[in-house]
Amino acid sequence: MSWFASLSVRGRTLLVGLVLTAALVAAGSTIQIPYVAIGPGLTVNTLGSYNDAAIFTFGGTDIPASVDEKTPEGSHLNMLTVSVTDGMTLFGALGLWASGNYSLVPREEQFPAGKTVEEVQQENAKSFEDSQSLSEIVALRYLKYPEVTYVGSIPEGSPSVNVLDPQDQIVALNDEPVSTVDTLRTALSTTLPGDIAKVTVKRTAADGKTSEVDAKVTLTANAQVGSYGFLGISAAQRPVAPFTIANSLATSGIGGPSAGMMFTLGIIDRLTPGDLASGHFIAGTGEIDESGKVGPIGGILLKMISARDAGATYFLAPADNCAEALTRVPAGLTVIRVTTVTDAMTALDEIKNGQPTTGC
């Protein structure tokens, strides 16, 4: 190292600085950091198509003629997503953060310890699938399609285990017609623990054929329901239609439940005459439950950026996200507060008629 000692103080300082800078650059551009970047993601018009396939397609009988109506140019009811960038280097993360459209969060917030990336993706895919099913239920219920009662969940130890199936549609109990959970409860009120109840169900086989089956269940006692017989099920009431609804995004790889509300609006639009968006570019987000309530989601600010960049002028936001949404509203975007699918439908009607909407 005699050559280093022979350098001037300035030369040695410069050399050390260059070496340290080179090491920092090498580390910053190659070593991955334990953070992910959350940013604007995909936005899809639920009135349109994805990969050349219509978002919603219908099969079966008695399909409303409105499903074949052409969507007017300019009409949008867009669902939104966020993107998650993993495996970033320090410099890559800083670059995304500096753009102002990404936030950095600890990796374990997106990929918890003890779960693989594949497991998280599977959970997100299941949430997305559930949102599609719920949106169909809510849309059909909003349009007042007839309701039927399914067996629903069957807990372990129930007298209905291995006798009924969760997807069985209950038609009658002891020959008393059943169409709702209330009528099922009324029919059970005439029974006693120990009775053998005849539960008539419509059951779909693996080949898709449906048949009517009389199942025999020995009723038990349950103090929580009273003195009458107990089936041991959590019956679920759902609307039904003579046709099926398929969603082309089912195999898109998108995850999470936040598209539920916009899927619901898209289905309602297709099943009713006219144009819900009335020629406007409307985007929105929100989880949906069976009652039609719109729940909060993550990444609201990023979704608003994505919506405005795509051309949206109106944004339907869950009421519980309003406080956060108002902290950074993109110029030209009107944010509308919704708590239920009925609120969303009211907002669409107000937009159509040029009336004031309910802001956050």
Side-chain angles (χ1 to χ4, degrees), residues 9 59 72 77 87 173 201 214 245 345:
V9 173
L77 290 175
L173 188 135
V201 300
D214 288 332
I245 304 173
M345 291 293 291

Side-chain angles (χ1 to χ4, degrees), residues 39-267:
L42 180 70
T43 176
V44 179
N45 186 7
T46 62
L47 304 180
S49 60
Y50 179 78
N51 285 345
D52 298 324
I55 299 300
F56 298 110
T57 52
F58 303 82
T61 60
D62 296 328
I63 302 171
S66 59
V67 304
D68 294 321
E69 291 178 353
K70 185 177 180 180
T71 299
E73 187 175 352
S75 286
H76 286 253
L77 290 175
N78 277 46
M79 57 148 285
L80 303 147
T81 66
V82 295
S83 64
V84 179
T85 304
D86 191 19
M88 298 181 299
T89 64
L90 175 62
F91 289 165
L94 291 175
L96 292 176
W97 175 80
S99 72
N101 291 339
Y102 289 80
S103 59
L104 302 180
V105 300
R107 190 177 186 278
E108 61 266 22
E109 289 188 16
Q110 294 294 317
F111 303 103
K115 290 185 178 180
T116 65
V117 172
E118 290 73 21
E119 288 173 335
V120 172
Q121 290 173 340
Q122 288 172 1
E123 290 176 359
N124 289 338
K126 179 63 167 58
S127 294
F128 190 67
E129 179 183 339
D130 290 345
S131 76
Q132 296 175 52
S133 298
L134 286 169
S135 65
E136 180 178 333
I137 291 170
V138 175
L140 294 177
R141 181 166 288 149
Y142 181 85
L143 296 174
K144 301 190 184 307
Y145 277 76
E147 303 263 344
V148 298
T149 300
Y150 289 86
V151 168
S153 61
I154 306 174
E156 191 174 337
S158 163
S160 294
V161 169
N162 298 325
V163 181
L164 298 177
D165 183 89
Q167 295 305 315
D168 284 343
Q169 177 190 331
I170 303 176
V171 176
L173 188 135
N174 292 336
D175 297 322
E176 289 292 326
V178 170
S179 59
T180 66
V181 173
D182 285 340
T183 56
L184 174 62
R185 190 176 295 115
T186 298
L188 279 169
S189 68
T190 62
T191 66
L192 293 171
D195 288 353
I196 298 177
K198 181 174 74 170
V199 186
T200 306
V201 300
K202 285 184 179 179
R203 181 171 295 169
T204 302
D207 60 5
K209 293 182 179 179
T210 300
S211 60
E212 204 162 276
V213 176
D214 288 332
K216 301 295 181 68
V217 179
T218 302
L219 304 178
T220 59
N222 187 316
Q224 293 182 341
V225 301
S227 59
Y228 54 83
F230 180 59
L231 270 176
I233 63 173
S234 295
Q237 185 174 310
R238 303 172 196 160
V240 293
F243 49 83
T244 59
I245 304 173
N247 188 322
S248 66
L249 292 173
T251 57
S252 64
I254 298 172
S258 65
M261 178 180 68
M262 299 310 293
F263 281 154
T264 302
L265 297 178
I267 294 172

